[in-house]
Amino acid sequence: MAPHVIIRTRMGTIAGIAALALIGIGLALPAIAPRALIQDLFTILTLLTLAQLWNLLAGYGGLVSVGQQAFVGIGAYAMFAGVILLGLDPVLAIPLGGIAALALAIPTAFFAFRLQGAYFAIGTWVIAEVTRLLVAQWKALGGGTGTSLPREATSDIIGVESIRALFGVREAAARDILAYWLALALAALTIAAIYWLLRNRLGLALAAVRDNTEAAKSVGVDARRIKWAVFLIAAFMTGLVGALIYVQTARISPDAAFSVIDWTAYVIFIVVIGGIGRIEGPILGVIVFYILQSTLADYGAWYLLTLGLIAIAVMLFAPRGLWGLLSDKTGLHLFPVQRRLEGIDLKGGK
Amino acid sequence: MIWIDTLVQGILLGGLYALFAAGLSLVFGIMRLVNLAHGDMIIFAAFAILLITGSLGLNPFLAALIAAPLMFALGWALQRFVLNHVLGKDILPPLLVTFGLSVALQNGMLEAFSADSQRIPAGPLESASVNLGIVTVGWMPLLTFATAIAVIVGLNQIFYRTALGRAFRATSDDPVTASLMGIAPKGIFAIATGLAMVVVTIAALYLGMRANFDPSIGPARLIYAFEAVIIGGLGSLWGTLAGGIIIGVAQTMGAAINPEWQILSGHIAFLIVLLIRPRGLFPRAVD
Amino acid sequence: MILLETKGLTASYGQFRALFGVDVSLSAGETVAIIGANSAGKSTLLRSITGVLRNDPSMVLHRGEAIGALPPEIVMQRGIAMVPEGRKLFPSLSVEENLKIGGQVRRAIGPWNLEAIYDLFPILREKRNVPGTALSGGQQQMVAIGRALMSNPEVLLCDEISLGLAPVVIRDIYAAMPRIKASGAAIIVVEQDIGRALSVADRVYCMMEGRVTLSAPAATVSRDAIHTAYFGDAA
Ligand SMILES: Nc1ncnc2c1ncn2[C@@H]1O[C@H](COP(=O)(O)OP(=O)(O)OP(=O)(O)O)[C@@H](O)[C@H]1O
Ligand SMILES: [Mg+2]
């Protein structure tokens, strides 16, 4: 067992340094990268963040939500409300998205946690539908057809002017760079936060809850409270991502902001294909997803058909995803939380 | 008078929702599996019936009669070759597989049949109505409701009067002990899913004759079915009918006030029931 | 003729090894008792025979054929019926349905049918329409035995049929054993109640910590030998 520990730690350290280097490169990238690449990276980073959050819920918490689009949508709409109704700067309105999602998550959890196991999934979906239908009644924000961020609001977003000056780009490109940086920060923060959570008490508690609620209770882990906590954290972060996405898009409608395909199906496929229940999974998954999307995007519905079938095949033949296959072959663990959880003596902990 | 009319329409609409829900309830009751592709399978069956009526020039009821065994075979194979391999203590794999199936099926249908709205032609039945004194109701909603009752009675007969039904219940209680009785649980699961697909075909027949459908509307049917099942209390088919009726009445009432509120009112009714009776109106005693 | 046999049977739950090379045999018409303390591996042995735990094919032989890797439903259809530990009646089935389901897949020709079971355990006839799990423990045990008999099995495996029952109830249930034996089935009774087991058995095996520690004819086995096999020498 001992050599294992050392290898893992060293691997973890290397991965940590590599991650910092990657973030550095990511920050500097707009200096040389074309605008299209920055936009693609924005999409990838926001999807990655959503996937990490869904993975936290389903992969670690056992909460299979099919209703995360509720939090993307409400987050986006709250940001729009902040800009249009309160006259806030779009970037400063992003936290409103997190707060609104958190507020929505409380009644959602209250209802959905009454549903056992698999029915929880559809329960969250119902809440997302209800929220979409209610938001479509919000006439001040365009009702069912939606609305755009006003020119005045998008023309002088905080920081855009400095970015223009720094890179010598046009205003629209500078906005993309700002959104990209925010997405990078959010992704890095989310991954770091989840990693930290899983390595600490919450990780142990989650493992206990996931594996056996009864046993968890007997060692003093309150399964209900843990599930609530995970659900609310994920909702808050998802709301922030939703707001950020729509700062970049600048145009919103209920159907788009609450799309189960865009904000939940893609995300689930990324996690499943990459490897559920591990932090590396969504990272690998989003890369595979991006490659698939670039090659198959012209084929319309075939693309989604293929994604669905791949997800089924992965669950059948490699239920721990591509990362699972890879780490079985190589013994690689970039984010060593898994072993720690398995090895822990529950009676000793806490 | 308008309110009585709305109420009756809502009750009859509940019959359609009960048909959506019966297959979902059947599968969940026997193997604790929630099929997220259930709604898309209803749409798929509706396209199958449409194709058969079109290509063979058959009346839709006969077409459904042909589609039913095909759907049974499909359900059987799906369970046997895919779902049985992911069933287990962990609910995640089957959920994700059926979710993948839902997206794949929707987009497969989109490629095969385009996004255009379709309808199964039902001839004079489409507009025929009957005067019941206080209200006039269409033959089609009436027939749907009667069929829902017939399907529930039929399923209950199978469940409580046949050796197959006994095996269903025993496997649902305890698959390991059932296997000690010579029953192969995975075989039973395959038959159950096949049977659920027959019910799905019947639901599809009425869905397709009553209104337009296209490849994208499956998930909403799944949600109505799910709401009916939860309101009814898991495992009770009559409860499911009651659940369907509650959703149906809430929708027609909501629509009568403001057409935009139709769907929303159904969901709200569901949430209210979940709030005051978390285990549904008719929860099963055992379990 | 040897009907059923295990040869070097090993079994594990995950990493945990529960059986270490167990050899037992059962001849036609014979009744064999398997005794042993808690956790000796008795139930694991029966689970391996019935296929609930899969093994190497040749570790379990039925009429000389390797059945160790067959699933339970196939093993049962070959005529090996089980009365599981803890009775395991189906809660959604009535008493009569519980009985019927025992014989609905395999119905060999033989003496057992609903009427014969009701004659064996008359109380069940009165309770035929009650849910199986609404009965007392002893009555549930009768249903579990009747359920296994309904298929007219060649081999009947009984796992601790006296578990948790009052002595008078145990006596009533064991009173049925001679009639079951007389109907021709070969029987394995797993018991912790040594006296009961020896009273019906022709031969006895004793198990301890996953191994067979004694194999002897029931009529002549000495109390001391059993004591040693049951608790080990060290004690
Ligand atoms: N499902 C299981 N998972 C893990 N270990 C098990 C399982 N069932 C039994 N064991 C272990 O296997 C060993 C043998 O158990 P088994 O049930 O065969 O004993 P037994 O002789 O039938 O005991 P008892 O008289 O208590 O029924 C025990 O150590 C037990 O803890
Ligand atoms: Mg035992």
Side-chain angles (χ1 to χ4, degrees), chain C residues 43 85 159-160:
Chain C
S43 298
E85 188 173 13
D159 196 349
E160 303 214 26

Side-chain angles (χ1 to χ4, degrees), chain B residues 256-278:
Chain B
I257 299 167
N258 178 346
E260 283 185 25
W261 294 352
Q262 177 183 352
I263 309 297
L264 192 57
S265 324
H267 294 327
I268 304 262
F270 161 72
L271 291 178
I272 292 172
V273 174
L274 190 59
L275 189 66
I276 50 183
R277 296 287 295 265

